[in-house]
Amino acid sequence: MWGRNVKHAANYLKRCSISTSLGISRSEGRAVNSNDVSDYNQALPFEDIPGPRGIKYLGTLHHYMTGRLDKYKYQDILEEYFSKYGPIFKETLFGSTIVHVCDPKMFEVIYQDEGKYPEIEPLVEPSQKFRGEGDLSLGLGNSNGEKWYNLRAIVQKSMLKPAEVSSHLQIINEIANDFVDKTLHKGYSDDFLLDTSIWKLESGGALSFGKRPGYLECGSAQEMEAMKLVKMVDNTFTLATDLKFSFPLYKYIKTPAYKALLDSEQYINDVTSVYLSETLKHIETELERTDDFNDIQNTYRFLYSLLGHKNLSKKDMEVIVLSMFIDGLRTVVPVLISVLFCLSQSPRVQEKLFTEIYNVLEDRKYIAASDIAQLPYLKACVKETFRLYPIGLEISRINQNDMVLGEYKIPSGTKLNLNNFVLNRDPNIFANPEAFVPERWLRGSEHAVDAHPYLLLPFGRGPRMCVGRRFAEQDLYVLISKLIQNCEPHWTGEKYEHQFKILVYPACPVKFQFKPRQSSSK
Ligand code: HEM
């Protein structure tokens, strides 16, 4: 349960409260949370880190395989471990030991160790294998070291520069307008997860290929393609979760689950590849036909910005475009759903948000970057949603230097998972933690929370911070603004439940009714 008692951890945090600004504390003469060598020598051995006991080498894998532990409720299992073992514990699954860390002071020490090339374990290991064996580029999330760095340097310019991101607002607005019209026309949805997934594919496709794929057209072949893509992405995440908690035979032979995952990955890759080839051919023809580069640049903005990099191979370009096209399905979409769910449960917040949006936009249909800058309450609503319904359970790091975390030696090369989410409903940090109170994140508000800067990091931080962050936020801010500007969402589903499928995803039918706002209420 998300709001489980965190007494054990809270006691620990109190014990360590005499910290320096570096996040280094002293307890009983021993260093806690430090990357200082002399502290390392005095720290407790790695083996003493608590955690669930398992069978030698196999660890706790058998509990997941026999169903004693429900892998799809991994979020609850981690919370339970946290309340049992405290803010640092370890778990082994078939020879692979992960140290779980649940304390912002420890996060700070880990991030300070990152250096130029922060190292990670891939989020979806079987996908990394699929890409490696298929002679495809691994992409950012599956690579480390210099290879990662060089690709990141290129992608960063096209994906994180605010002006570059907001230059796509025209198409993002158009798509959001069409989606809102469609949603209002129907007035309800019994599968808003699918509806918003199709919206996200339309926006990801338009950004990637400079042309709308046409996925919002009801009953079209394009809509069928979008549905199949959604299904294939879903398969990939479900199968990757099954593989994560089973004997990793797939690393040696093509097990049925791995084969099914390959088929899903292949379909997604093939669709992207066809669109990309067609678009590149089109750009080439246009460049031969006309001298009006501005027009081409405006239409194919994202691809054009990538084409400017001489060192970018076609394979690398393919994986970046794939990420832009598809990654929002398991990230932006569940966040959007959770924001709307929270708003539907809190008429006070919804009304306040509507007032903010209406004051800025009135009835305007185009949202500019300068409008988004004037919507602090909207941003606070999204941030508060990340607190209540995080989509990721961990940020992965492999430390490159020996360090001390919570009094224990952590030798370099240890797999660390930063499980910030377990603190999100801690009553010692957040007053009335189950309540949706966006004011917590507004400076000057009486509800403003004095949280450690490393506590809530939905996009991570540092050189490996989510590269899609600005696009994701822009998509969310535009669509939420338009929906709330035009209608009141009412949750008509049952209990809002989630499951772990590598990321956290709604586990229940997502149903809403959308009541149009009367002009008199504006
Ligand atoms: C609400 C939406 C999203 C959230 C909460 C989110 C969160 C994250 C987080 C936590 C990381 C790991 C950061 C770290 O290791 O420090 C990450 C990495 C990444 N994200 Fe996102 N993400 C979102 C949307 C997207 C979208 C839409 C895209 C693509 C357009 C994207 C592309 C990536 C990539 C490529 C990486 C790997 C970056 C690297 O290793 O250099 N993300 N994301």
Side-chain angles (χ1 to χ4, degrees):
M1 260 123 278
W2 295 91
R4 184 153 287 152
N5 190 323
V6 286
K7 216 166 80 198
H8 185 109
N11 286 340
Y12 170 88
L13 290 172
K14 269 194 213 134
R15 199 153 57 84
C16 298
S17 64
I18 25 162
S19 64
T20 69
S21 60
L22 279 175
I24 297 169
S25 316
R26 309 247 150 215
S27 162
E28 295 154 15
R30 219 175 2 245
V32 195
N33 307 332
S34 157
N35 29 33
D36 190 315
V37 178
S38 57
D39 288 338
Y40 186 79
N41 294 333
Q42 292 167 33
L44 297 174
F46 180 84
E47 292 67 35
D48 286 6
I49 298 174
R53 275 205 278 164
I55 300 171
K56 198 169 172 6
Y57 197 77
L58 195 65
T60 49
L61 186 63
H62 57 297
H63 293 319
Y64 295 96
M65 290 180 69
T66 55
R68 216 194 115 216
L69 293 176
D70 181 355
K71 61 192 168 196
Y72 299 129
K73 288 280 171 199
Y74 189 47
Q75 68 273 31
D76 293 348
I77 295 167
L78 287 176
E79 281 222 45
E80 211 158 306
Y81 288 161
F82 171 56
S83 55
K84 190 163 175 196
Y85 303 112
I88 179 161
F89 56 87
K90 61 181 187 330
E91 184 178 29
T92 298
L93 292 178
F94 204 78
S96 171
T97 299
I98 306 247
V99 173
H100 296 267
V101 178
C102 319
D103 173 352
K105 294 198 196 94
M106 296 186 201
F107 304 155
E108 194 169 356
V109 172
I110 296 165
Y111 278 114
Q112 281 170 359
D113 172 71
E114 286 199 313
K116 189 173 168 187
Y117 308 118
E119 208 172 310
I120 61 164
E121 278 269 289
L123 186 65
V124 189
E125 255 190 277
S127 297
Q128 183 195 43
K129 185 169 154 61
F130 159 76
R131 301 199 68 80
E133 287 173 353
D135 194 25
L136 300 164
S137 164
L138 292 179
L140 287 174
N142 288 320
S143 51
N144 281 314
E146 212 160 326
K147 207 164 185 323
W148 164 80
Y149 182 85
N150 292 337
L151 186 58
R152 175 89 192 197
I154 293 174
V155 177
Q156 187 119 336
K157 293 196 183 108
S158 305
M159 292 185 71
L160 280 175
K161 256 171 73 184
E164 196 60 46
V165 176
S166 61
S167 72
H168 296 271
L169 267 168
Q170 182 64 42
I171 193 87
I172 293 297
N173 269 281
E174 258 174 45
I175 295 168
N177 286 340
D178 288 353
F179 180 72
V180 172
D181 286 350
K182 196 175 162 188
T183 303
L184 271 178
H185 182 73
K186 196 169 163 201
Y188 73 95
S189 173
D190 286 340
D191 194 349
F192 205 52
L193 200 50
L194 178 63
D195 295 353
T196 46
S197 297
I198 294 177
W199 154 77
K200 187 63 209 88
L201 277 176
E202 181 79 355
S203 89
L207 292 172
S208 304
F209 311 115
K211 195 175 135 203
R212 289 181 58 172
Y215 290 149
L216 292 181
E217 196 135 327
C218 284
S220 64
Q222 289 306 95
E223 190 192 41
M224 297 302 283
E225 179 178 281
M227 286 183 187
K228 184 153 182 198
L229 279 168
V230 173
K231 177 93 192 101
M232 292 299 125
V233 171
D234 194 41
N235 283 353
T236 305
F237 277 83
T238 306
L239 291 162
T241 313
D242 295 345
L243 291 172
K244 181 182 169 93
F245 294 105
S246 57
F247 289 123
L249 275 178
Y250 77 92
K251 292 189 179 169
Y252 314 100
I253 53 165
K254 284 194 176 146
T255 59
Y258 183 59
K259 264 196 223 156
L261 183 140
L262 291 186
D263 288 346
S264 304
E265 290 271 14
Q266 195 62 54
Y267 177 79
I268 299 162
N269 220 64
D270 288 349
V271 172
T272 311
S273 205
V274 168
Y275 278 126
L276 180 61
S277 299
E278 281 172 2
T279 313
L280 289 176
K281 211 182 282 170
H282 196 70
I283 294 178
E284 209 177 312
T285 317
E286 284 295 291
L287 284 172
E288 278 166 14
R289 192 185 63 80
T290 169
D291 291 337
D292 188 356
F293 294 151
N294 273 346
D295 194 32
I296 300 171
Q297 188 181 351
N298 282 338
T299 311
Y300 303 101
R301 214 160 244 294
F302 184 63
L303 264 186
Y304 204 84
S305 72
L306 295 177
L307 285 168
H309 296 283
K310 277 190 244 108
N311 299 332
L312 188 70
S313 68
K314 169 101 189 291
K315 284 182 201 167
D316 283 338
M317 184 185 295
E318 252 171 19
V319 74
I320 296 166
V321 167
L322 178 81
S323 167
M324 180 63 105
F325 185 28
I326 299 292
D327 283 358
L329 282 187
R330 305 302 281 203
T331 55
V332 174
V333 169
V335 175
L336 174 72
I337 300 288
S338 291
V339 172
L340 295 178
F341 172 77
C342 291
L343 290 173
S344 75
Q345 303 300 297
S346 177
R348 175 194 74 83
V349 175
Q350 195 181 144
E351 197 49 38
K352 190 167 166 183
L353 177 61
F354 168 70
T355 306
E356 177 182 86
I357 291 169
Y358 195 69
N359 284 342
V360 174
L361 295 178
E362 298 189 339
D363 290 320
R364 256 190 304 128
K365 287 198 121 190
Y366 181 81
I367 302 180
S370 54
D371 296 321
I372 296 175
Q374 292 180 67
L375 298 170
Y377 196 63
L378 170 64
K379 291 173 190 167
C381 287
V382 173
K383 195 163 180 183
E384 179 69 342
T385 304
F386 276 126
R387 182 184 72 82
L388 286 171
Y389 297 105
I391 55 154
L393 296 187
E394 84 276 345
I395 288 173
S396 149
R397 287 295 180 269
I398 297 172
N399 58 322
Q400 292 164 46
N401 298 294
D402 296 343
M403 58 173 62
V404 179
L405 294 177
E407 302 183 72
Y408 300 103
K409 282 186 167 86
I410 308 290
S412 64
T414 301
K415 293 175 191 170
L416 300 167
N417 274 2
L418 285 62
N419 299 124
N420 309 41
F421 83 98
V422 296
L423 297 167
N424 287 3
R425 295 187 187 216
D426 182 343
N428 296 300
I429 304 173
F430 300 103
N432 197 5
E434 302 300 318
F436 182 59
V437 185
E439 288 78 2
R440 296 182 206 277
W441 307 106
L442 291 179
R443 241 183 251 146
S445 157
E446 61 171 310
H447 300 288
V449 61
D450 183 20
H452 191 289
Y454 287 75
L455 185 70
L456 189 74
L457 299 174
F459 294 98
R461 67 177 283 158
R464 269 205 109 127
M465 184 190 78
C466 173
V467 80
R469 173 182 187 161
R470 293 209 196 287
F471 276 103
E473 288 176 329
Q474 178 165 277
D475 256 340
L476 286 168
Y477 297 152
V478 169
L479 188 59
I480 298 166
S481 298
K482 285 177 192 288
L483 282 168
I484 298 302
Q485 181 191 31
N486 289 287
C487 64
E488 293 169 31
H490 291 272
W491 174 256
T492 50
E494 287 168 15
K495 193 164 179 237
Y496 190 43
E497 288 191 307
H498 290 83
Q499 59 192 341
F500 175 78
K501 296 268 182 92
I502 301 296
L503 293 168
V504 182
Y505 204 64
C508 55
V510 172
K511 299 181 179 187
F512 283 102
Q513 204 172 30
F514 298 96
K515 206 172 125 206
R517 286 190 190 268
Q518 305 303 317
S519 14
S520 59
S521 71
K522 292 186 179 176

